[in-house]
Amino acid sequence: MNTDMTTDTNNRALICKSQYVPMRDGVRLALSFWLAQDETKHRDKRPAVLVTTRYWRATLFQDDKPELQGAYPTAAYFLSQGYVLVIADARGSGASFGCREAEMAPAEVEDIGEVIDWVAQQDWCDGRVATTGTSYTASTTLYSLVTAPTALKLGVCRAPDLDEYRHLLAPGGIVNSWFIEAWGKVTGAQDQNDVSTLIENGSLAPADGDTNKLLGIRPVDEDAEGSLLAAAIAEHRDNFNLANTQDTQDTLMFIDNILFEHHRVLFDPGYQKKIEQSHVPVAIRCGWHDAGTQLGALSLFVLFNFPLRIILGPWNHGGDVRADPFQSGDGTNPDAIPLDDVRALTVSSLDTIFKHNKPTNNAALVEEHFGLVEYYTLGENRWKTTRVWPLPQTQIQRLYLAADHQLTGSKPTSQAGSDRYQVDPSAGTGVNNRWHTQMGNPVFFPDRQEEDKKLLVYDTPPLENDIEITGHPVVHLSIRSTATDGQFFAYLETIDPDGRVRLLTEGQLRGVHRKVSDGTPPYTMFGPYHSLKEQDAQPLVPGEVAEISFDLFPISVLLKKGQRIRLAIAGADKDVFAPILGCESPDIIVERNSTYASYIDLPIV
């Protein structure tokens, strides 16, 4: 196997070395690290930055040119800033041995600590390690705090999942069938080194676009013939994959039926205690419109007692495209963020600990840079900082659904008043939304005038003054349905003076999960607590009034004088969520009277 060589931004040639590292039970993990070529004999010691991935640490090409490696630009940038990049294939993935009983199983979590210890002992590492990543590797960054070896000094990540079920797989109990199928197909193909499938669905491509060069997973250096790689892939044959479950809809209908017996969530009390005891600082970046990652980060901030810096901004999942309802244009063109700017944000957080940290002022540095939330207010284009969430200055403004599709601050006085809506199963949010960005798509905000014609909408008059909405809107609907179950989506939007409709945020709940639980939630939640458990299921009774209440994903936005606020209600999103059999297009009556009011609570600053 040829050794990877290229040059970093300081014009030093880079080499990438790969090898197996044995774990406590003998399972061997494949690991790669990037160094400067002129350090072959004398190596400078630097802090190491570790990524633990289940998406292949490296790809094999016909000519094996190092610049084709997806990790190369990041490795070069990190090395130029004084850090060594290390990437490990997680147990049961890539070139690593083992089988995956679940995503982020306890064995995988324990592996991360052992890899950190191994990295810290290498002659190119100064004994200090940070963990980093985006999406899955962001979650492994957080899980690295469970074992937290003494070498681990910091975590820096983008878009981790605190609660995969509530924030991604089945938000509000509505199964995200699109993501499960798409992600399952990709990871299943990766686990079997199925290059043709990965090329076909666009998840694997070289920088120059020549797919003929792609051969699959890159073996470690000692495995020149690929026999070890073949043996490792054979062990992946029985990997868990939710998309292969016989009936995913039924499996995910309730949170206590999910097939993750071998998976412990971050907010598991045992894990939480270990994370808090580690006291390792972590910086987390999330986009306002990236599934429920921002909601999870804010829950983590409020619940956990360890140094956290939460940064919420106008980004897609990968942080390389701007996601802003108010960006110029028609809302259908990506506004790319230079990748070196993305990397610089990570390095800035690394530098806080590794370049400005001294034993005498460590506590002061952590106190200064962590324990806060930085958030970007859309429409105002301004960054703000708080050490308390929700904001203490928040006041709740209640807007009621009223006659003539109006939203008003006046509570209904009439005993009569309702609107009939037949769910339109063709309604959707497109393929550039907060859910599709989880698979790499940019987030677009096209005019929703036409789409809203399929929905039930309520509007305020033009605003008389600017208002800032920052926090967690909560919607409360009193409904009657012809079905025993259903999907309820609420979209908070704004209407420009020229009539353009912009989506701000959204939320959802499955009808059978409507019970507001009086139990203690597993972590801090910012709206009505629905356990989503089978024991709390309450099917709708056709013709009877049901209370449907849920919070929308958090947002910070400044609306200007002259704009209007819209609440749009739907019963389907064909682009993401599979319909419930037998409940595809029910008739819904939304009550809006003195007996059964419907409204939305907005957190106004």
Side-chain angles (χ1 to χ4, degrees):
M1 182 66 59
N2 293 330
T3 301
D4 282 350
M5 296 178 56
T6 189
T7 56
D8 68 6
T9 52
N10 286 340
N11 296 317
R12 300 176 70 187
L14 292 184
I15 58 173
C16 180
K17 295 190 173 183
S18 299
Q19 67 181 82
Y20 278 119
V21 177
M23 297 291 100
R24 65 212 163 274
D25 57 0
V27 171
R28 290 169 289 177
L29 302 189
L31 181 147
S32 297
F33 52 94
W34 295 76
L35 301 172
Q37 185 192 10
D38 56 15
E39 293 177 315
T40 303
K41 295 182 179 179
H42 171 72
R43 293 177 176 173
D44 294 332
K45 291 182 177 291
R46 303 179 178 87
V49 181
L50 171 66
V51 177
T52 307
T53 185
R54 62 105 59 249
Y55 298 135
W56 298 3
R57 79 193 193 289
T59 304
L60 181 64
F61 299 91
Q62 284 182 349
D63 48 8
D64 207 21
K65 289 183 178 179
E67 61 269 22
L68 295 178
Q69 290 294 327
Y72 160 64
T74 300
Y77 186 87
F78 278 14
L79 193 65
S80 73
Q81 302 300 310
Y83 302 99
V84 177
L85 177 65
V86 185
I87 309 178
D89 281 328
R91 175 181 294 244
S93 71
S96 290
F97 286 82
C99 179
R100 301 182 68 78
E101 297 177 307
E103 303 301 335
M104 224 75 70
E108 180 180 352
V109 173
E110 195 169 346
D111 289 343
I112 300 172
E114 293 192 28
V115 171
I116 291 171
D117 278 336
W118 183 89
V119 169
Q121 295 167 11
Q122 302 312 299
D123 60 3
W124 37 263
C125 180
D126 68 3
R128 298 179 297 167
V129 180
T131 49
T132 193
T134 296
S135 193
Y136 192 95
T137 55
S139 294
T140 61
T141 297
L142 294 182
Y143 278 99
S144 71
L145 274 65
V146 172
T147 54
T150 56
L152 180 62
K153 305 301 181 185
L154 175 69
V156 183
C157 59
R158 181 184 300 278
D161 289 308
L162 173 67
D163 187 337
E164 296 94 337
Y165 184 87
R166 288 183 175 88
H167 300 159
L168 179 59
L169 299 179
I174 303 176
V175 177
N176 187 343
S177 51
W178 172 83
F179 175 81
I180 291 168
E181 181 180 349
W183 194 77
K185 185 175 183 179
V186 168
T187 54
Q190 288 179 324
D191 290 348
Q192 289 305 306
N193 204 15
D194 182 355
V195 175
S196 59
T197 295
L198 294 170
I199 292 174
E200 180 183 338
N201 64 26
S203 56
L204 182 63
D208 60 6
D210 186 358
T211 57
N212 292 322
K213 296 177 180 178
L214 294 170
L215 299 179
I217 302 168
R218 193 175 194 274
V220 299
D221 296 345
E222 66 184 276
D223 187 21
E225 303 302 321
S227 58
L228 294 175
L229 174 62
I233 292 171
E235 294 191 3
H236 305 167
R237 186 177 297 111
D238 296 325
N239 278 2
F240 169 79
N241 190 315
L242 188 59
N244 295 336
T245 304
Q246 186 174 5
D247 193 334
T248 303
Q249 288 281 354
D250 287 345
T251 299
L252 292 179
M253 184 173 179
F254 303 107
I255 196 169
D256 41 355
N257 283 354
I258 192 169
L259 295 178
F260 278 156
E261 303 108 355
H262 302 286
H263 170 71
R264 292 177 67 183
V265 290
L266 272 168
F267 50 88
D268 174 276
Y271 275 5
Q272 179 181 347
K273 182 178 180 180
K274 291 180 179 179
I275 290 171
E276 292 179 336
Q277 289 175 339
S278 77
H279 212 66
V280 173
V282 175
I284 301 175
R285 286 184 173 83
C286 296
W288 285 123
H289 298 93
D290 179 11
T293 58
Q294 68 305 118
L295 178 57
L298 290 169
S299 290
L300 193 69
F301 178 79
V302 173
L303 175 67
F304 279 58
N305 182 26
F306 74 105
L308 268 172
R309 185 186 187 104
I310 307 298
I311 307 165
L312 306 174
W315 302 304
N316 70 325
H317 190 55
D320 56 352
V321 178
R322 186 176 178 86
D324 185 345
F326 300 102
Q327 67 191 61
S328 60
D330 64 2
T332 61
N333 294 303
D335 184 3
I337 300 172
L339 289 178
D340 270 359
D341 290 354
V342 178
R343 299 179 186 111
L345 292 175
T346 299
V347 168
S348 175
S349 295
L350 294 171
D351 288 349
T352 299
I353 296 298
F354 291 122
K355 293 188 178 178
H356 304 293
N357 188 11
K358 296 179 181 179
T360 55
N361 66 356
N362 177 60
L365 266 174
V366 171
E367 183 177 355
E368 176 186 356
H369 293 281
F370 296 86
L372 54 83
V373 176
E374 282 184 82
Y375 63 97
Y376 183 89
T377 300
L378 301 160
E380 188 178 8
N381 302 328
R382 180 183 169 197
W383 285 96
K384 302 170 185 177
T385 302
T386 179
R387 290 189 179 271
V388 179
W389 191 272
L391 301 181
Q393 66 269 38
T394 301
Q395 296 183 351
I396 300 301
Q397 180 176 341
R398 179 165 292 180
L399 297 177
Y400 292 91
L401 280 59
D404 301 320
H405 299 279
Q406 294 295 302
L407 274 180
T408 175
S410 301
K411 188 174 182 179
T413 57
S414 173
Q415 293 184 351
S418 63
D419 293 303
R420 182 180 296 274
Y421 170 65
Q422 182 170 11
V423 171
D424 187 338
S426 72
T429 52
V431 297
N432 294 99
N433 56 30
R434 70 169 59 238
W435 308 111
H436 280 255
T437 192
Q438 288 270 319
M439 293 296 290
N441 284 11
V443 181
F444 292 160
F445 297 90
D447 188 347
R448 283 182 56 85
Q449 285 189 73
E450 288 302 313
E451 194 63 33
D452 277 2
K453 291 178 181 178
K454 303 176 183 178
L455 313 183
L456 183 62
V457 302
Y458 298 88
D459 304 334
T460 66
L463 297 174
E464 297 180 356
N465 299 289
D466 295 356
I467 66 167
E468 180 188 329
I469 302 171
T470 296
H472 307 260
V474 176
V475 67
H476 179 102
L477 303 175
S478 297
I479 66 99
R480 301 177 195 265
S481 176
T482 58
T484 58
D485 200 355
Q487 301 175 345
F488 296 90
F489 298 89
Y491 303 101
L492 180 64
E493 301 170 332
T494 187
I495 308 172
D496 292 349
D498 64 3
R500 175 172 171 171
V501 180
R502 303 174 189 265
L503 175 63
L504 301 178
T505 187
E506 68 222 75
Q508 61 203 69
L509 183 70
R510 184 169 177 170
V512 75
H513 292 304
R514 60 193 170 95
K515 179 181 178 180
V516 177
S517 175
D518 56 5
T520 302
Y523 56 86
T524 302
M525 297 186 183
F526 302 98
Y529 170 45
H530 304 279
S531 75
L532 308 183
K533 295 179 180 179
E534 188 169 9
Q535 67 185 31
D536 289 329
Q538 285 188 345
L540 303 175
V541 179
E544 292 188 8
V545 174
E547 306 296 329
I548 306 290
S549 59
F550 53 92
D551 54 314
L552 312 189
F553 293 109
I555 193 70
S556 181
V557 59
L558 181 70
L559 300 181
K560 304 295 182 61
K561 177 181 178 181
Q563 289 182 303
R564 287 179 288 162
I565 298 173
R566 167 172 286 182
L567 175 64
I569 300 167
D573 181 351
K574 67 177 178 62
D575 299 308
V576 183
F577 304 96
I580 301 169
L581 294 179
C583 305
E584 295 88 345
S585 185
D587 278 334
I588 303 294
I589 294 176
V590 177
E591 302 285 350
R592 46 168 181 77
N593 50 63
S594 58
T595 304
Y596 300 110
S598 296
Y599 52 84
I600 183 170
D601 285 334
L602 298 178
I604 304 298
V605 178

